[in-house]
Amino acid sequence: MNNVPFLYVNLIAMCGYAIIFISFVAARKTPIIKTFIALLASFTVWTGGSIMMRLQISPGLDFWYYVSILALFCIADLTYIFVCSFTKTRGMFMKVVWSAGTFIILVLTALGLFLKPPEPVQTEAGTVFMYNVGWSIAIPYAFFACIVASIVLVIKKSVRETGTKSPGMNSMIAGCIIIAFGNMLQLIPGNIFPWDTLSGIVAAAFLVYSLYKKRMFRLTLLVSKGVVVFASLFICLVIVMNYVEPLNDFFSSLLHISYKAATSIVIILAVCIVGVSYILLKKLMDTLFTRQEHQDKLIKTF
């Protein structure tokens, strides 16, 4: 895993989306929640497929590349469907148009028309991935830009008709635009930094902001909150454990100390990271989910 530069960017992105996905899967399902879960699944598969591609895990680079890019190309259409559900906009005709167009884009992408799998290149830093970009990639970008414009129109229409703003929608749109720019930067000739998944991290931060600050949802948890927190914490722990050895090497060479001393520093650092992650996850869960007994207690106190 350690011979792929900047893999931690992909891991952080996948971790963020997987945690949010687990949280919503454990919640009581409504039509709005179901569309949001589908959107989160697309984000998770995109970032997860990107990691598998970079690690070249069986069945191979090409397979995981197409898994990742097909999930990425679903995001715009799924966002439109979610926004329509959230704002209670029917928009059936445009749903059909965007979904049909997305299906065509996915088929042509699977055939390798727009962008072929990257070629792994060995460098001193490790294995990097180079894309051969042609003019045809502009077609899906233009199509998805039209979907984003349509999403903006749906939100504006909803605000105009209801007189109330949709909390968190602006952050979600900003996240989609950032992902589009990140994927454009990824295709710059000679680039080796994963701008695409870095933009995914920024979009995930915008999403958490919408959920935490703007209170987009008020969910009811169907399983123990502790189960959700510890399942999410397990994902963070796996990521931290994968970087124990390179961190040992880093601290031992930087501070000129023994390997055992470096290991002690890494263990303390890992415990701190996991502890902070637990606090933040619990705070997020407390914000997202409202237990019925807590509601009853508030009513009784009032």
mmCIF file of all heavy atoms in Angstrom, residues 32 35-36 38-39 43 73-100 102 143-155 157 169 172-173 176:
data_model
loop_
_atom_site.group_PDB
_atom_site.id
_atom_site.type_symbol
_atom_site.label_atom_id
_atom_site.label_comp_id
_atom_site.label_asym_id
_atom_site.label_seq_id
_atom_site.Cartn_x
_atom_site.Cartn_y
_atom_site.Cartn_z
ATOM 1 N N ILE A 32 -36.979 10.479 1.056
ATOM 2 C CA ILE A 32 -35.859 11.415 0.954
ATOM 3 C C ILE A 32 -34.566 10.743 1.408
ATOM 4 O O ILE A 32 -33.525 10.859 0.751
ATOM 5 C CB ILE A 32 -36.122 12.682 1.802
ATOM 6 C CG1 ILE A 32 -37.344 13.435 1.266
ATOM 7 C CG2 ILE A 32 -34.907 13.597 1.804
ATOM 8 C CD1 ILE A 32 -37.720 14.654 2.085
ATOM 9 N N THR A 35 -33.138 8.307 -1.239
ATOM 10 C CA THR A 35 -32.421 8.941 -2.347
ATOM 11 C C THR A 35 -31.060 9.460 -1.880
ATOM 12 O O THR A 35 -30.082 9.423 -2.633
ATOM 13 C CB THR A 35 -33.231 10.106 -2.942
ATOM 14 O OG1 THR A 35 -33.509 11.077 -1.915
ATOM 15 C CG2 THR A 35 -34.556 9.612 -3.519
ATOM 16 N N PHE A 36 -31.001 9.917 -0.631
ATOM 17 C CA PHE A 36 -29.728 10.408 -0.098
ATOM 18 C C PHE A 36 -28.745 9.260 0.114
ATOM 19 O O PHE A 36 -27.541 9.408 -0.128
ATOM 20 C CB PHE A 36 -29.970 11.148 1.219
ATOM 21 C CG PHE A 36 -28.791 11.971 1.672
ATOM 22 C CD1 PHE A 36 -28.329 13.020 0.907
ATOM 23 C CD2 PHE A 36 -28.147 11.684 2.861
ATOM 24 C CE1 PHE A 36 -27.234 13.785 1.314
ATOM 25 C CE2 PHE A 36 -27.062 12.435 3.290
ATOM 26 C CZ PHE A 36 -26.608 13.485 2.510
ATOM 27 N N ALA A 38 -28.653 6.525 -1.666
ATOM 28 C CA ALA A 38 -28.162 6.165 -3.003
ATOM 29 C C ALA A 38 -27.038 7.105 -3.430
ATOM 30 O O ALA A 38 -26.037 6.670 -4.014
ATOM 31 C CB ALA A 38 -29.310 6.217 -4.010
ATOM 32 N N LEU A 39 -27.178 8.399 -3.124
ATOM 33 C CA LEU A 39 -26.139 9.371 -3.451
ATOM 34 C C LEU A 39 -24.859 9.091 -2.661
ATOM 35 O O LEU A 39 -23.755 9.114 -3.217
ATOM 36 C CB LEU A 39 -26.651 10.786 -3.159
ATOM 37 C CG LEU A 39 -25.674 11.940 -3.392
ATOM 38 C CD1 LEU A 39 -25.219 11.988 -4.845
ATOM 39 C CD2 LEU A 39 -26.318 13.272 -2.993
ATOM 40 N N PHE A 43 -20.918 8.075 -3.904
ATOM 41 C CA PHE A 43 -19.683 8.711 -3.432
ATOM 42 C C PHE A 43 -18.719 7.672 -2.854
ATOM 43 O O PHE A 43 -17.509 7.713 -3.116
ATOM 44 C CB PHE A 43 -19.997 9.746 -2.345
ATOM 45 C CG PHE A 43 -20.395 11.094 -2.879
ATOM 46 C CD1 PHE A 43 -21.674 11.584 -2.679
ATOM 47 C CD2 PHE A 43 -19.487 11.871 -3.570
ATOM 48 C CE1 PHE A 43 -22.038 12.833 -3.165
ATOM 49 C CE2 PHE A 43 -19.844 13.120 -4.059
ATOM 50 C CZ PHE A 43 -21.130 13.603 -3.858
ATOM 51 N N PHE A 73 -19.805 9.236 -12.358
ATOM 52 C CA PHE A 73 -20.705 9.793 -13.358
ATOM 53 C C PHE A 73 -22.182 9.651 -12.976
ATOM 54 O O PHE A 73 -23.047 10.211 -13.650
ATOM 55 C CB PHE A 73 -20.456 9.138 -14.718
ATOM 56 C CG PHE A 73 -19.223 9.667 -15.422
ATOM 57 C CD1 PHE A 73 -18.841 9.167 -16.664
ATOM 58 C CD2 PHE A 73 -18.448 10.660 -14.855
ATOM 59 C CE1 PHE A 73 -17.716 9.656 -17.316
ATOM 60 C CE2 PHE A 73 -17.324 11.157 -15.493
ATOM 61 C CZ PHE A 73 -16.950 10.655 -16.719
ATOM 62 N N CYS A 74 -22.467 8.900 -11.917
ATOM 63 C CA CYS A 74 -23.847 8.791 -11.419
ATOM 64 C C CYS A 74 -24.204 9.907 -10.442
ATOM 65 O O CYS A 74 -25.382 10.146 -10.165
ATOM 66 C CB CYS A 74 -24.049 7.443 -10.718
ATOM 67 S SG CYS A 74 -24.139 6.016 -11.810
ATOM 68 N N ILE A 75 -23.178 10.579 -9.906
ATOM 69 C CA ILE A 75 -23.392 11.520 -8.800
ATOM 70 C C ILE A 75 -24.316 12.672 -9.196
ATOM 71 O O ILE A 75 -25.221 13.049 -8.436
ATOM 72 C CB ILE A 75 -22.041 12.041 -8.280
ATOM 73 C CG1 ILE A 75 -21.308 10.925 -7.536
ATOM 74 C CG2 ILE A 75 -22.232 13.249 -7.363
ATOM 75 C CD1 ILE A 75 -19.910 11.294 -7.080
ATOM 76 N N ALA A 76 -24.103 13.261 -10.362
ATOM 77 C CA ALA A 76 -24.910 14.428 -10.762
ATOM 78 C C ALA A 76 -26.391 14.064 -10.847
ATOM 79 O O ALA A 76 -27.252 14.787 -10.326
ATOM 80 C CB ALA A 76 -24.409 14.972 -12.096
ATOM 81 N N ASP A 77 -26.710 12.945 -11.508
ATOM 82 C CA ASP A 77 -28.110 12.529 -11.661
ATOM 83 C C ASP A 77 -28.726 12.187 -10.308
ATOM 84 O O ASP A 77 -29.869 12.572 -10.026
ATOM 85 C CB ASP A 77 -28.191 11.325 -12.603
ATOM 86 C CG ASP A 77 -29.629 10.907 -12.876
ATOM 87 O OD1 ASP A 77 -30.450 11.789 -13.184
ATOM 88 O OD2 ASP A 77 -29.927 9.703 -12.775
ATOM 89 N N LEU A 78 -27.994 11.481 -9.448
ATOM 90 C CA LEU A 78 -28.507 11.128 -8.124
ATOM 91 C C LEU A 78 -28.708 12.369 -7.255
ATOM 92 O O LEU A 78 -29.637 12.423 -6.446
ATOM 93 C CB LEU A 78 -27.556 10.141 -7.433
ATOM 94 C CG LEU A 78 -27.504 8.739 -8.046
ATOM 95 C CD1 LEU A 78 -26.412 7.902 -7.375
ATOM 96 C CD2 LEU A 78 -28.857 8.042 -7.929
ATOM 97 N N THR A 79 -27.833 13.366 -7.436
ATOM 98 C CA THR A 79 -28.014 14.625 -6.706
ATOM 99 C C THR A 79 -29.287 15.326 -7.152
ATOM 100 O O THR A 79 -30.043 15.857 -6.323
ATOM 101 C CB THR A 79 -26.804 15.557 -6.928
ATOM 102 O OG1 THR A 79 -25.609 14.907 -6.507
ATOM 103 C CG2 THR A 79 -26.962 16.856 -6.148
ATOM 104 N N TYR A 80 -29.552 15.319 -8.460
ATOM 105 C CA TYR A 80 -30.784 15.935 -8.970
ATOM 106 C C TYR A 80 -32.015 15.234 -8.395
ATOM 107 O O TYR A 80 -32.972 15.897 -7.957
ATOM 108 C CB TYR A 80 -30.808 15.860 -10.497
ATOM 109 C CG TYR A 80 -32.054 16.472 -11.104
ATOM 110 C CD1 TYR A 80 -32.152 17.841 -11.283
ATOM 111 C CD2 TYR A 80 -33.136 15.678 -11.468
ATOM 112 C CE1 TYR A 80 -33.303 18.410 -11.806
ATOM 113 C CE2 TYR A 80 -34.285 16.238 -11.999
ATOM 114 C CZ TYR A 80 -34.362 17.609 -12.167
ATOM 115 O OH TYR A 80 -35.511 18.164 -12.679
ATOM 116 N N ILE A 81 -31.996 13.898 -8.384
ATOM 117 C CA ILE A 81 -33.132 13.136 -7.854
ATOM 118 C C ILE A 81 -33.329 13.440 -6.373
ATOM 119 O O ILE A 81 -34.460 13.625 -5.900
ATOM 120 C CB ILE A 81 -32.909 11.625 -8.077
ATOM 121 C CG1 ILE A 81 -32.942 11.312 -9.580
ATOM 122 C CG2 ILE A 81 -33.970 10.805 -7.349
ATOM 123 C CD1 ILE A 81 -32.553 9.891 -9.927
ATOM 124 N N PHE A 82 -32.217 13.519 -5.623
ATOM 125 C CA PHE A 82 -32.319 13.826 -4.196
ATOM 126 C C PHE A 82 -32.885 15.226 -3.974
ATOM 127 O O PHE A 82 -33.751 15.427 -3.113
ATOM 128 C CB PHE A 82 -30.948 13.710 -3.540
ATOM 129 C CG PHE A 82 -30.879 14.378 -2.191
ATOM 130 C CD1 PHE A 82 -31.556 13.852 -1.101
ATOM 131 C CD2 PHE A 82 -30.165 15.560 -2.015
ATOM 132 C CE1 PHE A 82 -31.519 14.469 0.130
ATOM 133 C CE2 PHE A 82 -30.123 16.179 -0.795
ATOM 134 C CZ PHE A 82 -30.788 15.638 0.294
ATOM 135 N N VAL A 83 -32.396 16.205 -4.718
ATOM 136 C CA VAL A 83 -32.861 17.586 -4.548
ATOM 137 C C VAL A 83 -34.352 17.682 -4.856
ATOM 138 O O VAL A 83 -35.104 18.370 -4.152
ATOM 139 C CB VAL A 83 -32.044 18.544 -5.434
ATOM 140 C CG1 VAL A 83 -32.690 19.926 -5.469
ATOM 141 C CG2 VAL A 83 -30.618 18.656 -4.920
ATOM 142 N N CYS A 84 -34.800 16.998 -5.907
ATOM 143 C CA CYS A 84 -36.230 16.992 -6.227
ATOM 144 C C CYS A 84 -37.043 16.383 -5.088
ATOM 145 O O CYS A 84 -38.108 16.885 -4.733
ATOM 146 C CB CYS A 84 -36.478 16.208 -7.521
ATOM 147 S SG CYS A 84 -35.964 17.068 -9.016
ATOM 148 N N SER A 85 -36.521 15.299 -4.501
ATOM 149 C CA SER A 85 -37.219 14.666 -3.385
ATOM 150 C C SER A 85 -37.217 15.571 -2.152
ATOM 151 O O SER A 85 -38.236 15.711 -1.468
ATOM 152 C CB SER A 85 -36.553 13.328 -3.059
ATOM 153 O OG SER A 85 -37.184 12.701 -1.967
ATOM 154 N N PHE A 86 -36.095 16.226 -1.904
ATOM 155 C CA PHE A 86 -35.961 17.076 -0.724
ATOM 156 C C PHE A 86 -36.859 18.304 -0.823
ATOM 157 O O PHE A 86 -37.442 18.742 0.171
ATOM 158 C CB PHE A 86 -34.501 17.494 -0.560
ATOM 159 C CG PHE A 86 -34.198 18.178 0.736
ATOM 160 C CD1 PHE A 86 -33.941 17.439 1.881
ATOM 161 C CD2 PHE A 86 -34.164 19.559 0.825
ATOM 162 C CE1 PHE A 86 -33.659 18.063 3.084
ATOM 163 C CE2 PHE A 86 -33.888 20.195 2.017
ATOM 164 C CZ PHE A 86 -33.635 19.442 3.159
ATOM 165 N N THR A 87 -36.946 18.881 -2.006
ATOM 166 C CA THR A 87 -37.761 20.089 -2.197
ATOM 167 C C THR A 87 -39.201 19.778 -2.585
ATOM 168 O O THR A 87 -39.977 20.690 -2.856
ATOM 169 C CB THR A 87 -37.139 20.980 -3.293
ATOM 170 O OG1 THR A 87 -37.062 20.238 -4.516
ATOM 171 C CG2 THR A 87 -35.759 21.458 -2.886
ATOM 172 N N LYS A 88 -39.524 18.455 -2.644
ATOM 173 C CA LYS A 88 -40.878 18.012 -3.017
ATOM 174 C C LYS A 88 -41.259 18.517 -4.407
ATOM 175 O O LYS A 88 -42.386 18.952 -4.653
ATOM 176 C CB LYS A 88 -41.897 18.453 -1.979
ATOM 177 C CG LYS A 88 -41.683 17.823 -0.607
ATOM 178 C CD LYS A 88 -42.718 18.293 0.391
ATOM 179 C CE LYS A 88 -42.591 17.543 1.699
ATOM 180 N NZ LYS A 88 -41.270 17.655 2.330
ATOM 181 N N THR A 89 -40.296 18.451 -5.318
ATOM 182 C CA THR A 89 -40.525 18.827 -6.716
ATOM 183 C C THR A 89 -40.700 17.563 -7.544
ATOM 184 O O THR A 89 -39.869 16.655 -7.475
ATOM 185 C CB THR A 89 -39.322 19.620 -7.263
ATOM 186 O OG1 THR A 89 -39.130 20.786 -6.447
ATOM 187 C CG2 THR A 89 -39.559 20.037 -8.708
ATOM 188 N N ARG A 90 -41.752 17.492 -8.322
ATOM 189 C CA ARG A 90 -41.992 16.275 -9.102
ATOM 190 C C ARG A 90 -40.965 16.156 -10.226
ATOM 191 O O ARG A 90 -40.204 15.218 -10.264
ATOM 192 C CB ARG A 90 -43.412 16.284 -9.681
ATOM 193 C CG ARG A 90 -44.505 16.194 -8.596
ATOM 194 C CD ARG A 90 -45.868 15.968 -9.221
ATOM 195 N NE ARG A 90 -45.909 14.671 -9.908
ATOM 196 C CZ ARG A 90 -46.955 14.246 -10.594
ATOM 197 N NH1 ARG A 90 -48.021 15.015 -10.720
ATOM 198 N NH2 ARG A 90 -46.929 13.071 -11.173
ATOM 199 N N GLY A 91 -40.973 17.086 -11.156
ATOM 200 C CA GLY A 91 -39.950 17.127 -12.199
ATOM 201 C C GLY A 91 -39.725 15.802 -12.901
ATOM 202 O O GLY A 91 -38.581 15.450 -13.197
ATOM 203 N N MET A 92 -40.787 15.050 -13.156
ATOM 204 C CA MET A 92 -40.638 13.712 -13.711
ATOM 205 C C MET A 92 -39.983 13.726 -15.086
ATOM 206 O O MET A 92 -39.143 12.877 -15.403
ATOM 207 C CB MET A 92 -42.006 13.022 -13.781
ATOM 208 C CG MET A 92 -41.937 11.568 -14.238
ATOM 209 S SD MET A 92 -40.850 10.568 -13.175
ATOM 210 C CE MET A 92 -41.755 10.622 -11.636
ATOM 211 N N PHE A 93 -40.354 14.703 -15.916
ATOM 212 C CA PHE A 93 -39.807 14.750 -17.273
ATOM 213 C C PHE A 93 -38.285 14.927 -17.244
ATOM 214 O O PHE A 93 -37.547 14.204 -17.922
ATOM 215 C CB PHE A 93 -40.447 15.898 -18.059
ATOM 216 C CG PHE A 93 -39.848 16.088 -19.431
ATOM 217 C CD1 PHE A 93 -40.113 15.191 -20.459
ATOM 218 C CD2 PHE A 93 -38.994 17.161 -19.684
ATOM 219 C CE1 PHE A 93 -39.549 15.358 -21.718
ATOM 220 C CE2 PHE A 93 -38.419 17.326 -20.933
ATOM 221 C CZ PHE A 93 -38.706 16.426 -21.951
ATOM 222 N N MET A 94 -37.815 15.887 -16.432
ATOM 223 C CA MET A 94 -36.379 16.133 -16.369
ATOM 224 C C MET A 94 -35.641 14.973 -15.686
ATOM 225 O O MET A 94 -34.493 14.674 -16.025
ATOM 226 C CB MET A 94 -36.082 17.437 -15.637
ATOM 227 C CG MET A 94 -36.573 18.683 -16.361
ATOM 228 S SD MET A 94 -36.034 18.750 -18.089
ATOM 229 C CE MET A 94 -34.260 18.719 -17.954
ATOM 230 N N LYS A 95 -36.309 14.308 -14.750
ATOM 231 C CA LYS A 95 -35.696 13.126 -14.137
ATOM 232 C C LYS A 95 -35.426 12.063 -15.197
ATOM 233 O O LYS A 95 -34.353 11.443 -15.220
ATOM 234 C CB LYS A 95 -36.608 12.546 -13.053
ATOM 235 C CG LYS A 95 -36.621 13.324 -11.753
ATOM 236 C CD LYS A 95 -37.540 12.632 -10.750
ATOM 237 C CE LYS A 95 -37.649 13.430 -9.459
ATOM 238 N NZ LYS A 95 -38.579 12.800 -8.492
ATOM 239 N N VAL A 96 -36.411 11.862 -16.072
ATOM 240 C CA VAL A 96 -36.256 10.873 -17.139
ATOM 241 C C VAL A 96 -35.140 11.301 -18.096
ATOM 242 O O VAL A 96 -34.301 10.487 -18.512
ATOM 243 C CB VAL A 96 -37.583 10.672 -17.906
ATOM 244 C CG1 VAL A 96 -37.372 9.797 -19.137
ATOM 245 C CG2 VAL A 96 -38.638 10.060 -16.997
ATOM 246 N N VAL A 97 -35.129 12.604 -18.449
ATOM 247 C CA VAL A 97 -34.124 13.110 -19.389
ATOM 248 C C VAL A 97 -32.723 12.927 -18.820
ATOM 249 O O VAL A 97 -31.823 12.379 -19.478
ATOM 250 C CB VAL A 97 -34.378 14.606 -19.697
ATOM 251 C CG1 VAL A 97 -33.195 15.203 -20.467
ATOM 252 C CG2 VAL A 97 -35.660 14.757 -20.508
ATOM 253 N N TRP A 98 -32.520 13.374 -17.573
ATOM 254 C CA TRP A 98 -31.181 13.293 -16.978
ATOM 255 C C TRP A 98 -30.775 11.845 -16.700
ATOM 256 O O TRP A 98 -29.602 11.489 -16.870
ATOM 257 C CB TRP A 98 -31.108 14.118 -15.697
ATOM 258 C CG TRP A 98 -31.334 15.583 -15.868
ATOM 259 C CD1 TRP A 98 -32.092 16.397 -15.077
ATOM 260 C CD2 TRP A 98 -30.794 16.437 -16.883
ATOM 261 N NE1 TRP A 98 -32.067 17.690 -15.526
ATOM 262 C CE2 TRP A 98 -31.273 17.750 -16.644
ATOM 263 C CE3 TRP A 98 -29.970 16.225 -17.977
ATOM 264 C CZ2 TRP A 98 -30.951 18.829 -17.454
ATOM 265 C CZ3 TRP A 98 -29.648 17.309 -18.795
ATOM 266 C CH2 TRP A 98 -30.125 18.581 -18.528
ATOM 267 N N SER A 99 -31.719 11.023 -16.266
ATOM 268 C CA SER A 99 -31.388 9.616 -15.998
ATOM 269 C C SER A 99 -31.061 8.869 -17.286
ATOM 270 O O SER A 99 -30.105 8.081 -17.334
ATOM 271 C CB SER A 99 -32.548 8.924 -15.268
ATOM 272 O OG SER A 99 -32.765 9.503 -14.000
ATOM 273 N N ALA A 100 -31.838 9.124 -18.346
ATOM 274 C CA ALA A 100 -31.575 8.476 -19.632
ATOM 275 C C ALA A 100 -30.230 8.941 -20.194
ATOM 276 O O ALA A 100 -29.442 8.131 -20.714
ATOM 277 C CB ALA A 100 -32.702 8.787 -20.615
ATOM 278 N N THR A 102 -27.720 10.081 -18.470
ATOM 279 C CA THR A 102 -26.655 9.498 -17.635
ATOM 280 C C THR A 102 -26.404 8.047 -18.018
ATOM 281 O O THR A 102 -25.247 7.600 -18.077
ATOM 282 C CB THR A 102 -27.038 9.596 -16.145
ATOM 283 O OG1 THR A 102 -27.197 10.974 -15.786
ATOM 284 C CG2 THR A 102 -25.961 8.963 -15.263
ATOM 285 N N PHE A 143 -22.532 17.691 -20.181
ATOM 286 C CA PHE A 143 -23.825 17.106 -19.789
ATOM 287 C C PHE A 143 -24.063 17.277 -18.294
ATOM 288 O O PHE A 143 -25.147 17.681 -17.859
ATOM 289 C CB PHE A 143 -23.847 15.624 -20.176
ATOM 290 C CG PHE A 143 -25.084 14.901 -19.732
ATOM 291 C CD1 PHE A 143 -26.284 15.075 -20.403
ATOM 292 C CD2 PHE A 143 -25.050 14.045 -18.632
ATOM 293 C CE1 PHE A 143 -27.429 14.413 -19.992
ATOM 294 C CE2 PHE A 143 -26.188 13.383 -18.218
ATOM 295 C CZ PHE A 143 -27.385 13.563 -18.898
ATOM 296 N N PHE A 144 -23.045 16.986 -17.483
ATOM 297 C CA PHE A 144 -23.208 17.089 -16.034
ATOM 298 C C PHE A 144 -23.331 18.542 -15.593
ATOM 299 O O PHE A 144 -23.991 18.836 -14.591
ATOM 300 C CB PHE A 144 -22.043 16.396 -15.326
ATOM 301 C CG PHE A 144 -21.973 14.918 -15.603
ATOM 302 C CD1 PHE A 144 -20.767 14.309 -15.922
ATOM 303 C CD2 PHE A 144 -23.120 14.138 -15.574
ATOM 304 C CE1 PHE A 144 -20.710 12.956 -16.192
ATOM 305 C CE2 PHE A 144 -23.076 12.781 -15.844
ATOM 306 C CZ PHE A 144 -21.863 12.182 -16.162
ATOM 307 N N ALA A 145 -22.722 19.464 -16.328
ATOM 308 C CA ALA A 145 -22.888 20.889 -16.034
ATOM 309 C C ALA A 145 -24.348 21.298 -16.227
ATOM 310 O O ALA A 145 -24.886 22.105 -15.467
ATOM 311 C CB ALA A 145 -21.972 21.730 -16.919
ATOM 312 N N CYS A 146 -24.993 20.725 -17.234
ATOM 313 C CA CYS A 146 -26.421 20.993 -17.467
ATOM 314 C C CYS A 146 -27.272 20.473 -16.313
ATOM 315 O O CYS A 146 -28.246 21.121 -15.908
ATOM 316 C CB CYS A 146 -26.865 20.354 -18.780
ATOM 317 S SG CYS A 146 -26.150 21.099 -20.261
ATOM 318 N N ILE A 147 -26.903 19.311 -15.769
ATOM 319 C CA ILE A 147 -27.652 18.772 -14.628
ATOM 320 C C ILE A 147 -27.498 19.686 -13.416
ATOM 321 O O ILE A 147 -28.478 19.971 -12.712
ATOM 322 C CB ILE A 147 -27.172 17.347 -14.284
ATOM 323 C CG1 ILE A 147 -27.447 16.387 -15.439
ATOM 324 C CG2 ILE A 147 -27.875 16.842 -13.022
ATOM 325 C CD1 ILE A 147 -27.030 14.955 -15.161
ATOM 326 N N VAL A 148 -26.273 20.168 -13.167
ATOM 327 C CA VAL A 148 -26.046 21.074 -12.031
ATOM 328 C C VAL A 148 -26.863 22.351 -12.200
ATOM 329 O O VAL A 148 -27.471 22.848 -11.247
ATOM 330 C CB VAL A 148 -24.545 21.407 -11.894
ATOM 331 C CG1 VAL A 148 -24.331 22.494 -10.844
ATOM 332 C CG2 VAL A 148 -23.752 20.165 -11.525
ATOM 333 N N ALA A 149 -26.909 22.885 -13.435
ATOM 334 C CA ALA A 149 -27.726 24.072 -13.703
ATOM 335 C C ALA A 149 -29.196 23.789 -13.434
ATOM 336 O O ALA A 149 -29.922 24.630 -12.878
ATOM 337 C CB ALA A 149 -27.521 24.517 -15.153
ATOM 338 N N SER A 150 -29.635 22.585 -13.792
ATOM 339 C CA SER A 150 -31.022 22.196 -13.542
ATOM 340 C C SER A 150 -31.299 22.085 -12.043
ATOM 341 O O SER A 150 -32.394 22.445 -11.577
ATOM 342 C CB SER A 150 -31.306 20.852 -14.238
ATOM 343 O OG SER A 150 -32.658 20.500 -14.102
ATOM 344 N N ILE A 151 -30.333 21.602 -11.285
ATOM 345 C CA ILE A 151 -30.479 21.516 -9.828
ATOM 346 C C ILE A 151 -30.657 22.906 -9.226
ATOM 347 O O ILE A 151 -31.515 23.128 -8.365
ATOM 348 C CB ILE A 151 -29.251 20.819 -9.207
ATOM 349 C CG1 ILE A 151 -29.211 19.340 -9.607
ATOM 350 C CG2 ILE A 151 -29.271 20.946 -7.683
ATOM 351 C CD1 ILE A 151 -27.937 18.632 -9.218
ATOM 352 N N VAL A 152 -29.855 23.852 -9.693
ATOM 353 C CA VAL A 152 -29.963 25.238 -9.211
ATOM 354 C C VAL A 152 -31.351 25.793 -9.502
ATOM 355 O O VAL A 152 -31.963 26.452 -8.652
ATOM 356 C CB VAL A 152 -28.872 26.119 -9.856
ATOM 357 C CG1 VAL A 152 -29.077 27.586 -9.477
ATOM 358 C CG2 VAL A 152 -27.490 25.656 -9.435
ATOM 359 N N LEU A 153 -31.864 25.523 -10.689
ATOM 360 C CA LEU A 153 -33.198 26.004 -11.060
ATOM 361 C C LEU A 153 -34.280 25.398 -10.173
ATOM 362 O O LEU A 153 -35.231 26.076 -9.775
ATOM 363 C CB LEU A 153 -33.483 25.689 -12.530
ATOM 364 C CG LEU A 153 -32.655 26.458 -13.562
ATOM 365 C CD1 LEU A 153 -32.981 25.983 -14.975
ATOM 366 C CD2 LEU A 153 -32.904 27.958 -13.438
ATOM 367 N N VAL A 154 -34.149 24.107 -9.857
ATOM 368 C CA VAL A 154 -35.124 23.444 -8.981
ATOM 369 C C VAL A 154 -35.132 24.095 -7.610
ATOM 370 O O VAL A 154 -36.198 24.364 -7.040
ATOM 371 C CB VAL A 154 -34.799 21.935 -8.858
ATOM 372 C CG1 VAL A 154 -35.616 21.304 -7.731
ATOM 373 C CG2 VAL A 154 -35.088 21.218 -10.163
ATOM 374 N N ILE A 155 -33.941 24.390 -7.073
ATOM 375 C CA ILE A 155 -33.858 25.001 -5.746
ATOM 376 C C ILE A 155 -34.430 26.410 -5.767
ATOM 377 O O ILE A 155 -35.178 26.812 -4.864
ATOM 378 C CB ILE A 155 -32.393 25.003 -5.261
ATOM 379 C CG1 ILE A 155 -31.904 23.570 -5.045
ATOM 380 C CG2 ILE A 155 -32.264 25.805 -3.967
ATOM 381 C CD1 ILE A 155 -30.440 23.472 -4.713
ATOM 382 N N LYS A 157 -36.675 27.603 -7.798
ATOM 383 C CA LYS A 157 -38.134 27.499 -7.961
ATOM 384 C C LYS A 157 -38.786 27.139 -6.635
ATOM 385 O O LYS A 157 -39.835 27.689 -6.275
ATOM 386 C CB LYS A 157 -38.460 26.443 -9.016
ATOM 387 C CG LYS A 157 -39.956 26.287 -9.268
ATOM 388 C CD LYS A 157 -40.225 25.213 -10.304
ATOM 389 C CE LYS A 157 -41.726 25.028 -10.505
ATOM 390 N NZ LYS A 157 -42.025 23.939 -11.474
ATOM 391 N N MET A 169 -28.574 23.181 0.903
ATOM 392 C CA MET A 169 -28.535 22.885 -0.529
ATOM 393 C C MET A 169 -27.388 23.604 -1.232
ATOM 394 O O MET A 169 -26.748 23.054 -2.121
ATOM 395 C CB MET A 169 -29.876 23.292 -1.175
ATOM 396 C CG MET A 169 -31.029 22.354 -0.869
ATOM 397 S SD MET A 169 -30.851 20.752 -1.678
ATOM 398 C CE MET A 169 -30.386 19.747 -0.289
ATOM 399 N N MET A 172 -24.235 21.697 -0.846
ATOM 400 C CA MET A 172 -24.192 20.500 -1.680
ATOM 401 C C MET A 172 -23.842 20.841 -3.123
ATOM 402 O O MET A 172 -23.052 20.155 -3.772
ATOM 403 C CB MET A 172 -25.534 19.765 -1.623
ATOM 404 C CG MET A 172 -25.786 19.050 -0.313
ATOM 405 S SD MET A 172 -27.104 17.847 -0.451
ATOM 406 C CE MET A 172 -26.406 16.684 -1.615
ATOM 407 N N ILE A 173 -24.440 21.916 -3.639
ATOM 408 C CA ILE A 173 -24.137 22.344 -5.012
ATOM 409 C C ILE A 173 -22.673 22.753 -5.119
ATOM 410 O O ILE A 173 -21.978 22.399 -6.088
ATOM 411 C CB ILE A 173 -25.049 23.514 -5.423
ATOM 412 C CG1 ILE A 173 -26.499 23.039 -5.506
ATOM 413 C CG2 ILE A 173 -24.622 24.089 -6.772
ATOM 414 C CD1 ILE A 173 -27.482 24.142 -5.760
ATOM 415 N N CYS A 176 -20.565 19.685 -5.402
ATOM 416 C CA CYS A 176 -20.602 19.086 -6.741
ATOM 417 C C CYS A 176 -19.701 19.844 -7.715
ATOM 418 O O CYS A 176 -18.982 19.234 -8.525
ATOM 419 C CB CYS A 176 -22.042 19.066 -7.265
ATOM 420 S SG CYS A 176 -23.129 17.909 -6.415
#
